[in-house]
Amino acid sequence: MTTIATSALTRTFGPVTAVSNLTVDLPTGVVGLVGANGAGKSTLIKMLLGLIPPSSGTAAILGFDCLTDGLKIREVVGYMPESECLPLDVSATEFLVHMARMSGLPASSARERAADTLRHVGLYEERYRPIGGYSTGMKQRVKLAQALVHDPKLVFLDEPTNGLDPAGRDDMLGLIARVSSDFGISVVVTSHLLGELERISDHIVVIDGGVLQRSTSTAEATQLSGTLLVEVTDQADVVMARLRDGGAAVAAGRTPGSFAVELADESVPATVVAIVAELGLGLVRLQRRRHQLSEIFETSGVTS
Amino acid sequence: MTTPNDSVIHDIGFRHYDGPRLGRGWAFRSLLLETLRGAFGLGRPAKVKIMPWVLIGLFAVPAIVIVAVVILTGSDELPLSYTQYPIAMSLLVSLFLAGRAPYAVSRDLRDGIMPLYLSRPITRQDYVYAKLLGLAIAVWIFIATPVTVLFIGALLAKFPVKDQVLGWLGGIVMAAVLALLITSIALALASFTKRRGLGVAAVLATLVLLNGFTSVLVSVVGMQANETTASYFAVLDPYLLVDGLCAAWLGVAPQNGFAEPDGAIGALFFTAVLVAVVAGTVGILLRRFKKVGGV
């Protein structure tokens, strides 16, 4: 299922090209949008929200054309900006009711959903106090809640973990995963921290300088690779030399006792075990390695 | 994938909304109403309520005193008419507006709320018009309240009902004109700063100085040169402009005698200035908000 489809989408600001010839389809579920600052993520989101028209190309969200159906799109899409965006002198409840009404919900539904949504993001008694007294983590929850209060089909979350401590970060990531899995709302989330996206995303899109670098499902990106990680108690260099003599490609690891061997065929693990046993060493680790998402960056030349 | 943190989020099930989505018109109305409520501090902490309500009280006190005096002395006329009262008390109107205009726009600018509004089914123009109308209605209610107190007093004093109803209606209509004019000026000024204190000072200084300066100018010109020239200078101050319009449109006596426009040409000139100032300040507001919100 496709939520967003862009075709040759381009946006220039004078001489600067923010998004260049972007053609990509995003599926339902959690989509991670990765790119360095200035890579064109925000421009892309604003075009998709129908706030700025593309210089050329087309984009459709949930079947609506971004160029002509901006108002319609913004009724059924939520947006959590990266920046500070909360009024400080009203309570979270008051603010959320207002935001729900601004999305087109009638007054009674707005009140009901404001209370519901705040409970879902984990704000209880404090929701009656002015937002000015909240911690960063609580403010981030209110920001997320205002994007969800009108029960959108899709939410854009711009750097939702910014400024949070590790525990708050985990909570927020858990919430985002729930938004997709339990609430059934598709999520487009941007972050420059790859580890986060790896944890929660079903699909990863990498853009750099406004150009699409890669669009792939997370399962595909982290599938089993042809490398065997080995760690021995001693004499790693001898083992590596023996393996090289046997014609295997070997690379030294970060620690003295570890190294990686290319899995040319299925006999490699047995060979490693045989050599280690022959030398009378202890074998600490023998593991097929998964790709890390950061390798997407290495191959596409993006620095994080 | 991650496991939800159950100490924070309880699994109570997410309910979907399949009711009506009322769209742009409703969103516009909601923003207008929110601005109106905010102007009187409704739904805000107590300290936000203090200033507007103290001013509403202060603004009504002279009207109550006038009514008491009229009833006690058995006078057959209000010493200040429904159209003269707001002009005579212009300082209180300026004070109210100076507090409320920055509250309506500077907060949104300072707290960065524009992106949230822009991601909802309204346009930038909708935002500007909703804020302007919401605040203008608040100012109109503020001005119309003591005018209505005078009206009730006049009825209690058993003045001829038909004259009083017409006079009161004129006062209410001119209060709306005055509210729209000074609100658009004040909002245009306030929209240029994120700092509320600065906005308050700018609006108050502009309205009070214009009023003081123009009052002196028309008096001096009126006495030294001639009254026709003086009446044209009256358009420099929004209050005297509306004072003149009351005389031109309704044929009532202005608060400041020099502000009375000179014949049909004068009336046309006053009306043209009113339209130009409102259109100009709204244009400034629209331009100002064209770039806000980081898009």
Side-chain angles (χ1 to χ4, degrees):
Chain A
M1 265 276 286
T2 305
T3 53
I4 300 172
T6 74
S7 172
L9 195 65
T10 302
R11 173 70 201 197
T12 54
F13 294 101
V16 182
T17 302
V19 172
S20 173
N21 205 20
L22 193 73
T23 302
V24 67
D25 285 356
L26 304 184
T28 53
V30 180
V31 174
L33 185 56
V34 189
N37 289 338
K41 290 174 293 181
S42 296
T43 306
L44 177 60
I45 289 179
K46 279 163 187 164
M47 276 196 284
L48 294 176
L49 283 170
L51 291 175
I52 49 177
S55 305
S56 65
T58 57
I61 291 192
L62 308 165
F64 295 115
D65 187 330
C66 291
L67 196 60
T68 53
D69 295 332
L71 291 169
K72 211 79 199 143
I73 289 170
R74 300 203 291 273
E75 269 183 29
V76 290
V77 167
Y79 172 49
M80 172 182 175
E82 181 186 359
S83 55
E84 292 278 320
C85 59
L86 301 175
L88 304 179
D89 63 347
V90 297
S91 69
T93 302
E94 183 91 12
F95 173 63
L96 239 68
V97 171
H98 176 51
M99 281 300 154
R101 293 169 56 116
M102 289 304 297
S103 294
L105 266 59
S108 58
S109 314
R111 272 192 300 278
E112 208 173 287
R113 288 205 59 87
D116 257 21
T117 313
L118 284 170
R119 205 176 56 216
H120 278 293
V121 301
L123 279 172
Y124 300 94
E125 289 315 307
E126 55 272 35
R127 66 174 187 257
Y128 302 112
R129 297 205 318 260
I131 294 170
Y134 288 10
S135 68
T136 308
M138 284 156 71
K139 283 182 186 166
Q140 287 297 96
R141 283 160 192 267
V142 178
K143 278 168 67 175
L144 178 63
Q146 66 78 30
L148 297 173
V149 70
H150 54 297
D151 187 24
K153 305 271 182 291
L154 170 74
V155 281
F156 293 103
L157 310 177
D158 204 352
E159 305 271 356
T161 56
N162 245 11
L164 297 177
D165 59 27
R169 209 170 267 273
D170 280 350
D171 286 352
M172 179 55 74
L173 290 172
L175 257 174
I176 295 168
R178 277 179 59 98
V179 168
S180 169
S181 63
D182 295 6
F183 304 177
I185 297 171
S186 288
V187 178
V188 174
V189 53
T190 74
S191 173
H192 51 259
L193 292 170
L194 278 166
E196 293 184 349
L197 290 179
E198 191 171 29
R199 274 180 56 192
I200 60 169
S201 300
D202 303 320
H203 192 94
I204 295 284
V205 172
V206 183
I207 56 173
D208 183 41
V211 179
L212 179 70
Q213 302 292 337
R214 188 154 175 175
S215 172
T216 173
S217 80
T218 314
E220 206 174 288
T222 58
Q223 69 188 338
L224 291 178
S225 67
T227 317
L228 191 66
L229 290 177
V230 184
E231 191 174 341
V232 292
T233 48
D234 201 9
Q235 298 182 24
D237 47 345
V238 180
V239 183
M240 284 162 71
R242 289 258 196 122
L243 284 165
R244 279 203 188 93
D245 291 344
V250 184
R254 288 202 190 91
T255 54
S258 72
F259 56 88
V261 193
E262 192 195 355
L263 266 174
D265 58 67
E266 289 304 315
S267 70
V268 174
T271 314
V272 173
V273 173
I275 294 169
V276 171
E278 198 184 316
L279 291 169
L281 304 171
L283 186 59
V284 179
R285 181 155 76 141
L286 189 66
Q287 181 192 17
R288 293 187 94 172
R289 197 182 64 146
R290 283 176 175 277
H291 272 300
Q292 300 289 310
L293 270 178
S294 54
E295 287 167 23
I296 296 178
F297 274 66
E298 280 154 21
T299 52
S300 63
V302 179
T303 51
S304 51
Chain B
M1 291 303 117
T2 177
T3 44
N5 183 338
D6 288 312
S7 68
V8 179
I9 296 97
H10 297 289
D11 193 0
I12 40 184
F14 184 84
R15 281 188 292 168
H16 283 287
Y17 176 76
D18 43 21
R21 294 178 191 268
L22 304 174
R24 184 178 176 184
W26 172 259
F28 181 87
R29 224 195 87 178
S30 298
L31 184 56
L32 189 154
L33 205 66
E34 160 74 12
T35 309
L36 180 57
R37 280 165 53 83
F40 294 108
L42 303 176
R44 307 292 198 282
K47 65 174 182 181
V48 183
K49 292 187 177 77
I50 297 173
M51 266 312 271
W53 289 99
V54 164
L55 286 171
I56 289 169
L58 283 179
F59 196 35
V61 166
I64 293 168
V65 171
I66 287 174
V67 166
V69 168
V70 164
I71 292 175
L72 289 178
T73 59
S75 160
D76 59 355
E77 201 187 26
L78 290 167
L80 277 175
S81 75
Y82 301 116
T83 48
Q84 287 171 336
Y85 187 89
I87 311 298
M89 305 288 162
S90 67
L91 180 63
L92 281 168
V93 180
S94 298
L95 272 172
F96 179 77
L97 189 57
R100 303 341 284 165
Y103 191 82
V105 287
S106 310
R107 268 168 71 248
D108 287 359
L109 294 171
R110 183 198 64 197
D111 298 336
I113 300 171
M114 278 308 279
L116 300 189
Y117 284 134
L118 292 176
S119 64
R120 291 187 151 71
I122 58 165
T123 66
R124 288 163 186 281
Q125 289 85 344
D126 290 344
Y127 174 85
V128 171
Y129 288 127
K131 284 280 167 184
L132 177 64
L133 281 181
L135 188 60
I137 291 172
V139 174
W140 179 63
I141 292 173
F142 179 78
I143 299 172
T145 302
V147 170
T148 305
V149 168
L150 286 180
F151 176 61
I152 293 170
L155 291 183
L156 289 176
K158 303 207 174 0
F159 290 176
V161 173
K162 194 188 163 206
D163 289 357
Q164 298 308 316
V165 170
L166 287 177
W168 173 71
L169 283 176
I172 296 293
V173 170
M174 293 319 289
V177 173
L178 177 63
L180 183 65
L181 174 65
I182 56 178
T183 302
S184 54
I185 294 172
L187 268 188
L189 285 167
S191 71
F192 279 93
T193 175
K194 294 178 179 181
R195 290 161 60 189
R196 243 179 84 196
L198 205 60
V200 171
V203 173
L204 192 60
T206 305
L207 291 179
V208 170
L209 287 181
L210 271 180
N211 184 248
F213 168 78
T214 310
S215 299
V216 171
L217 184 72
V218 293
S219 298
V220 169
V221 174
M223 283 184 285
Q224 301 294 319
N226 70 66
E227 297 197 3
T228 309
T229 318
S231 75
Y232 283 101
F233 281 117
V235 300
L236 290 174
D237 171 45
Y239 293 102
L240 289 184
L241 173 61
V242 173
D243 198 16
L245 284 171
C246 290
W249 291 355
L250 304 175
V252 298
Q255 161 65 15
N256 186 325
F258 294 116
E260 181 152 5
D262 183 43
I265 301 211
L268 202 65
F269 178 68
F270 271 55
T271 309
V273 171
L274 171 76
V275 172
V277 172
V278 172
T281 45
V282 169
I284 290 171
L285 271 172
L286 289 173
R287 263 187 79 97
R288 172 71 179 98
F289 281 96
K290 215 165 184 176
K291 287 283 164 194
V292 176
V295 179

